[in-house]
Amino acid sequence: MSGELDLLKWIHGRLGRRRGPIVVDSGDDAAVLRVGRERLLFKVDSVVEGVHFTRGTPPEKIGYKALARPLSDIAAMGGVPVAALAAAVLPRSWPLARAKRLQLGMERLGVPVVGGDITTHRGPLMVSVSVLGDMKGAAPVLRKGARPGDVLLVTGPLGGSIHGKHLVFEPRLEEGRLFATRLRVHAMIDISDGFARDLGHLCAASGVGAVLDTIPIMAASTLRGALYDGEDYELIVAASPATARRIEREGWAMRVGEVCKAKGIRLLSSGGIVRKIMPRGYEHPLV
C-alpha cells in the first residue's frame, strides 16, 4: 500500500519543464502563478465525512473548516485571500435548509464564495474549496529557504486538535502576511498532517535538519500528539535569530528549536538526551 505523497510526487514530476506562468508548483503549500505583474496564489482542499468530520458535525462547522483549510495554506505563503469557489457533493437526504448552513459557515471567514458546483449522491458529504490569493507585491514564503542557524517557531500549541480545534481554528493569515512582508522570514509551512511530518517537508525542501528543544503542547494532548496528530493549522516558521527574538517578544510565535546542517529531526530532552524524531504523521493511504 502506498500513500498520497507518492501520488503527489508522481503528479509533480509530470510538470516537467513546462513552466510558463508557473512560479511555484505543487511542491509547496499553494501554487503561485505570474499573471501580468502580479503573483497569484491558487489552492484547493477537500473535506470528507468520516475523514475530516463525523456525521453529526453541524453543517456550519463543516463549511467553516472546508474554507479555513486552504486559507491556512495561503497564510503559509504570506498571501492575502481574494475569493473562493466551493463544490459540494451532498447526501440526497439533506434538505435545502441544512445545505444552506454550509454556506453560512464559510461566510464566517469573510472571504467571498463567488461560485462553484453542487451535486447529490447516495454517499457521504464531500466539500471541495478552491481559494485565489494575492501576494500584493510581496514574495511568497516557500518551504525551502531555511538556513542552518535559523530559529524554528510555531504560532501556537500543538496536539489534541481532534477534541474540537480542527473545526474552529483560525487560519494564521495575519501572522503569515506579517512574516512575509515586514519580517521577511526564510521559510514557512502550515501544520495539517502533523508537526513532525510537516517540519520534515520544510527540512527536505531546504536541504537541512532540525534540533528541537521545546514543544508547546495543548492541555488536552501529549508530546506524541503534539508531534504526530495533525490538523493543528499553526505555522512553522524558520527565521534568523534576530527576527525570531522579535517574533517571540511580540508574542506572534514561540520557539521550538533550530535549523542545523545535519539531516534529520532530533529532540533534546530536559536531561540532555537526544531522541530522533521520525517525520511521520497523517497520510491518506492509496491501494
Side-chain angles (χ1 to χ4, degrees), residues 165-229:
K165 181 185 175 184
H166 72 113
L167 295 171
V168 298
F169 67 92
E170 294 187 20
R172 297 291 193 172
L173 289 162
E174 183 177 350
E175 292 90 340
R177 186 64 181 167
L178 174 68
F179 297 155
T181 54
R182 287 171 51 193
L183 299 178
R184 305 290 182 92
V185 303
H186 296 157
M188 279 199 293
I189 188 172
D190 88 317
I191 305 172
S192 56
D193 296 327
F195 171 73
R197 165 153 283 179
D198 290 316
L199 177 58
H201 291 326
L202 185 148
C203 288
S206 299
V208 297
V211 177
L212 306 173
D213 47 47
T214 182
I215 304 293
I217 304 172
M218 285 285 287
S221 189
T222 63
L223 175 60
R224 181 180 180 85
L227 288 172
Y228 303 118
D229 279 357

Side-chain angles (χ1 to χ4, degrees), residues 39-41 71 74 79-84 110-114 130-136 173:
R39 292 181 179 182
L40 300 181
L41 302 171
L71 289 182
I74 298 295
V80 177
V82 175
V111 178
V113 178
V114 297
S130 300
V131 174
L132 171 68
D134 191 346
M135 288 309 305
K136 292 188 176 294
L173 289 162

